[in-house]
């Protein structure tokens, strides 16, 4: 019985290592191709502003999501369960927006959920246009250094 457990454990470890190596290799390849697109000028950093309210101003108008907007004179608690739940909702909407445009998750540079609802990502011009046409997107703009 002990030998059988060791054999099963060995097989599970081998499978887990194989999956980890494959996932790491895929991620590295995706990052390399993204870097190549940027270097070639075929992709740039864009900021996408989504339609739903950010955490700081969300008044609770979506079913199953309590308001996160603090009362007058109060501060927001970024660790509250309501804030975290709504924040995950916003992040899922970001993921859905990117998936709809065929953008890999590895292209995301930043996520904005508190003062602004949106994300920044490395996108091709066609991907940026596809995202801009989505109903839940307010604006897509090229990320630029401003002085």
């Amino acid at each position: 019985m002990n030998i059988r457990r060791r054999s099963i454990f060995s097989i599970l470890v081998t499978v887990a290592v194989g999956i980890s190596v494959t996932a790491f290799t895929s991620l590295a390849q995706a990052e390399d191709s993204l870097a190549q697109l940027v270097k070639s000028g075929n992709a740039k950093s864009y900021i996408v502003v989504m339609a739903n309210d950010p955490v700081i101003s969300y008044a609770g108008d979506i079913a199953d999501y309590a308001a996160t907007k603090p009362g007058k004179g109060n501060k927001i608690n970024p660790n509250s369960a309501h804030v975290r739940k709504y924040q995950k909702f916003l992040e899922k909407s970001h993921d859905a927006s990117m998936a709809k445009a065929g953008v890999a998750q590895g292209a995301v540079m930043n996520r904005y959920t508190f003062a602004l609802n949106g994300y920044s990502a490395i996108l091709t011009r066609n991907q940026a246009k596809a995202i801009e046409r989505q109903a839940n997107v307010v604006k897509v703009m090229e990320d630029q250094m401003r002085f």
Side-chain angles (χ1 to χ4, degrees):
M1 188 71 166
N2 211 5
I3 294 173
R4 184 174 176 178
R5 283 187 183 165
R6 285 184 193 158
S7 296
I8 291 171
F9 180 74
S10 295
I11 290 169
L12 289 175
V13 168
T14 303
V15 169
V17 169
I19 290 170
S20 297
V21 169
T22 302
F24 179 75
T25 303
S26 297
L27 181 61
Q29 289 171 342
E31 287 177 354
D32 286 346
S33 65
L34 197 58
Q36 288 173 356
L37 280 171
V38 171
K39 285 180 184 177
S40 69
N42 293 326
K44 297 178 181 178
S45 179
Y46 288 86
I47 296 173
V48 178
V49 180
M50 306 289 287
N52 286 325
D53 287 332
V55 169
I56 195 73
S57 62
Y58 174 62
D61 55 341
I62 299 172
D64 298 326
Y65 292 92
T68 56
K69 180 180 179 178
K72 189 172 184 174
N74 294 326
K75 294 182 180 180
I76 195 162
N77 177 2
N79 297 315
S80 92
H82 297 304
V83 167
R84 289 184 184 254
K85 182 178 179 183
Y86 184 64
Q87 193 174 19
K88 286 183 186 198
F89 169 79
L90 295 177
E91 290 172 354
K92 284 181 183 177
S93 74
H94 302 167
D95 294 343
S97 168
M98 291 183 294
K100 190 174 179 182
V103 179
Q105 292 296 314
V108 175
M109 305 277 56
N110 293 294
R111 292 183 185 269
Y112 312 110
T113 56
F114 273 82
L116 172 78
N117 174 23
Y119 59 92
S120 65
I122 303 297
L123 306 170
T124 65
R125 187 169 187 187
N126 289 339
Q127 289 171 328
K129 285 182 179 184
I131 291 171
E132 194 168 35
R133 288 190 294 268
Q134 295 174 6
N136 61 339
V137 172
V138 174
K139 186 172 184 109
V140 176
M141 59 191 141
E142 188 178 327
D143 192 1
Q144 298 177 350
M145 190 72 123
R146 307 230 185 236
F147 300 96

